[in-house]
């Protein structure tokens, strides 16, 4: 009798475990992220994987790095065979330091190996200090159709405080050139800058709006660990002053026809960034390049990868071992809900509740306790068909996300 009871107990435990293992009925959209790790100057607030190019250009070998990227992509092909890529994002660092010839070589190699959607969005990040008309024309010819300019501010004093290599006039010139060559242009702007006033913040937004770009990103400067600013913090506006800047500029953006569709992203109608939307909807992405992260789903599991961070170590690993992975793991069923919520709750419209099951392969009841708690705290919309943060939830997003940790 005891043996029978023990057998039933084991069977019930096994069934319980199996019931919470991911079971995807369809795979999510797939994107490609390509990391370019070099920049002309490391900004004091930057915690991205970027490495300043030395004056003698030692360590920077464009041809060698592109070959490594292509070889890296080839290692991923068996994992995404038959799937279509709907967006590409080339980030950094400063990818616009690449030559137009190098960009064309890279994107031609990608097209030869991956099935791209006909209207594939291909974004490149660019520093206004490295913008040249001829070079941008070459990037457009290579296939770049969207550019994201790291403007941050139009005021010389603020740009100097942020360690940027461009000035306000160069920022304006870069935007004008980008608008001539690319289908879509995003401007990255920061607020809560050292000693920034309400009037100065308004001036930055009004200058940005005068160019009528289809997309704007509006970030609050934060002091990230392991940055110069973290060790030597500048004098920043108070929390009340930062709130006032945000509320003022949010009204200006909305009045100009920009809709806030993500915590820090604003777009004209139908001009949202496809690539970033795929991240926030818990889609899949191949990540190649130094320090790149990837997420690939299969019917019975969801996996993550991380590559070597330093460009030299990354290239050596590709050349000697055939891959540069430092981590390749399956996301546990226990961690999947938090990873999903970490992304999707950033969207102002949220997602349909059925998306949770579609993207994690888990039943919604695994997060029912967290949903109840978030709703009672006024952080989550009470609509049973939506997973959507309230205004208060967006304001205190970290608190909302931590409920699902």
């Amino acid at each position: 009798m005891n043996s029978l009871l023990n057998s039933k107990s084991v069977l019930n435990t096994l069934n319980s475990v199996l019931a919470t293992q991911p079971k995807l009925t369809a795979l999510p959209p797939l994107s490609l992220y390509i990391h370019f790790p070099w920049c002309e100057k490391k900004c004091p607030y930057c915690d991205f994987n970027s490495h300043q190019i030395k004056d003698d250009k030692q360590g920077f070998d464009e041809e060698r790095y592109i070959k490594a990227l292509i070889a890296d992509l080839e290692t991923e092909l068996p994992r995404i065979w038959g799937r279509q890529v709907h967006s590409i994002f080339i980030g950094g660092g400063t990818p616009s330091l690449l030559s137009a010839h190098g960009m064309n070589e890279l994107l031609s190699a990608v097209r030869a190996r991956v099935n791209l959607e006909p209207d594939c969005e291909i974004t490149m990040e660019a520093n206004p200090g490295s913008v040249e008309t001829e070079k941008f024309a070459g990037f457009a010819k290579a296939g770049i159709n969207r550019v994201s300019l790291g403007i941050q501010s139009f005021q010389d004093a603020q740009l100097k405080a942020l360690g940027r290599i461009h000035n306000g006039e160069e920022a304006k010139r870069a935007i004008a050139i980008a608008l001539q060559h690319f289908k879509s242009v995003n401007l990255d702007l920061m607020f809560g800058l050292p000693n920034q006033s309400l009037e100065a913040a308004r001036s930055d937004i009004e200058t940005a709006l005068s160019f009528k770009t289809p997309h704007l990103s509006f970030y609050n400067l934060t002091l990230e660990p392991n940055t110069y600013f973290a060790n030597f913090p500048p004098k920043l506006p108070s929390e009340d002053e930062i709130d006032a800047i945000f509320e003022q500029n949010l009204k200006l953006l909305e009045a100009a026809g920009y809709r806030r569709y993500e915590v820090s992203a604003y777009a004209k109608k139908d001009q949202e960034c496809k690539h970033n939307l795929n991240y926030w909807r818990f889609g899949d992405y191949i990540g190649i390049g130094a320090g790149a992260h990837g997420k690939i789903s299969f019917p019975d599991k969801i996996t993550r990868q991380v590559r070597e961070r330093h460009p030299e170590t990354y290239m050596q690993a590709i050349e000697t071992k055939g891959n540069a992975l430092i981590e390749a793991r399956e996301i546990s069923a226990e961690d999947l809900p938090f990873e999903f919520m970490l992304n999707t709750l950033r969207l102002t419209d949220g997602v349909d509740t059925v998306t949770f099951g579609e993207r994690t392969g888990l039943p919604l009841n695994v997060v029912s306790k967290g949903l109840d708690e978030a709703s009672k705290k006024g952080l989550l919309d009470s609509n049973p068909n939506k997973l959507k943060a309230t205004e208060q939830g967006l304001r205190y997003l970290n608190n909302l996300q931590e409920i699902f940790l």
Side-chain angles (χ1 to χ4, degrees), residues 8-283:
K8 286 182 178 179
S9 177
V10 170
L11 186 61
N12 288 337
T13 301
L14 181 61
N15 287 335
S16 177
V17 170
L18 291 174
T20 55
Q21 292 304 301
K23 296 183 184 67
L24 275 67
T25 55
L27 300 180
L30 178 67
S31 296
L32 168 63
Y33 175 76
I34 303 173
H35 192 74
F36 182 86
W38 289 282
C39 58
E40 289 188 70
K41 182 183 178 184
K42 182 80 171 178
C43 295
Y45 58 84
C46 178
D47 69 334
F48 292 116
N49 182 32
S50 59
H51 303 263
Q52 187 168 317
I53 294 178
K54 298 175 182 177
D55 292 338
D56 59 3
K57 298 290 180 79
Q58 186 178 352
F60 174 58
D61 187 331
E62 176 177 294
E63 185 177 353
R64 183 184 173 206
Y65 191 70
I66 290 172
K67 284 182 179 178
L69 288 173
I70 296 167
D72 196 357
L73 177 62
E74 288 177 344
T75 68
E76 287 297 294
L77 297 182
R79 288 160 44 83
I80 53 97
W81 201 253
R83 297 178 66 179
Q84 197 171 51
V85 169
H86 86 144
S87 69
I88 299 173
F89 196 102
I90 307 168
T94 307
S96 52
L97 291 174
L98 274 170
S99 67
H101 171 76
M103 184 66 74
N104 184 61
E105 182 184 351
L106 174 61
L107 291 180
S108 294
V110 170
R111 291 189 196 94
R113 290 161 176 79
V114 176
N115 180 21
L116 301 184
E117 284 188 0
D119 60 344
C120 183
E121 175 191 270
I122 306 177
T123 303
M124 176 192 71
E125 290 184 332
N127 188 322
S130 62
V131 169
E132 303 165 19
T133 303
E134 187 176 338
K135 204 174 184 184
F136 263 29
F139 288 148
K141 190 174 181 181
I144 301 293
N145 52 32
R146 183 177 184 274
V147 77
S148 180
L149 290 169
I151 302 296
Q152 315 314 356
S153 175
F154 291 97
Q155 296 169 54
D156 291 350
Q158 293 288 6
L159 291 168
K160 186 176 180 180
L162 291 172
R164 304 295 287 169
I165 65 170
H166 66 277
N167 60 35
E169 287 306 311
E170 287 171 331
K172 295 173 187 176
R173 175 178 170 272
I175 298 169
I177 294 172
L179 287 168
Q180 291 173 11
H181 294 288
F182 302 104
K183 179 181 175 182
S184 184
V185 176
N186 169 62
L187 306 182
D188 271 352
L189 293 173
M190 282 185 171
F191 68 98
L193 306 180
N195 300 304
Q196 187 178 40
S197 67
L198 197 62
E199 294 74 20
R202 182 185 183 97
S203 175
D204 272 349
I205 283 291
E206 288 178 338
T207 303
L209 292 176
S210 71
F211 288 96
K212 298 180 170 62
T213 60
H215 196 285
L216 286 167
S217 299
F218 188 43
Y219 299 96
N220 183 13
L221 173 63
T222 53
L223 306 184
E224 300 292 348
N226 304 315
T227 63
Y228 181 86
F229 272 1
N231 294 321
F232 304 96
K235 179 174 170 46
L236 300 179
S238 68
E239 191 172 325
D240 287 344
E241 288 171 326
I242 289 173
D243 286 346
I245 289 172
F246 175 77
E247 294 299 335
Q248 166 193 258
N249 289 5
L250 176 60
K251 289 176 183 176
L252 291 170
L253 287 161
E254 290 177 342
Y258 291 84
R259 189 179 77 89
R260 186 188 189 198
Y261 70 97
E262 188 267 346
V263 169
S264 304
Y266 303 76
K268 294 287 185 73
K269 183 176 171 55
D270 300 324
Q271 293 296 319
E272 295 85 357
C273 177
K274 283 184 181 180
H275 189 88
N276 286 341
L277 275 176
N278 193 41
Y279 287 151
W280 297 322
R281 290 171 177 162
F282 209 52

Side-chain angles (χ1 to χ4, degrees), residues 24 27-29 278 281-283 295 297 302 336 340 354-362:
L24 275 67
L27 300 180
N278 193 41
R281 290 171 177 162
F282 209 52
K295 170 186 170 283
S297 299
I302 300 172
L336 272 172
F340 177 87
V354 294
T355 309
F356 180 84
E358 291 172 351
R359 296 295 159 88
T360 66
L362 299 172

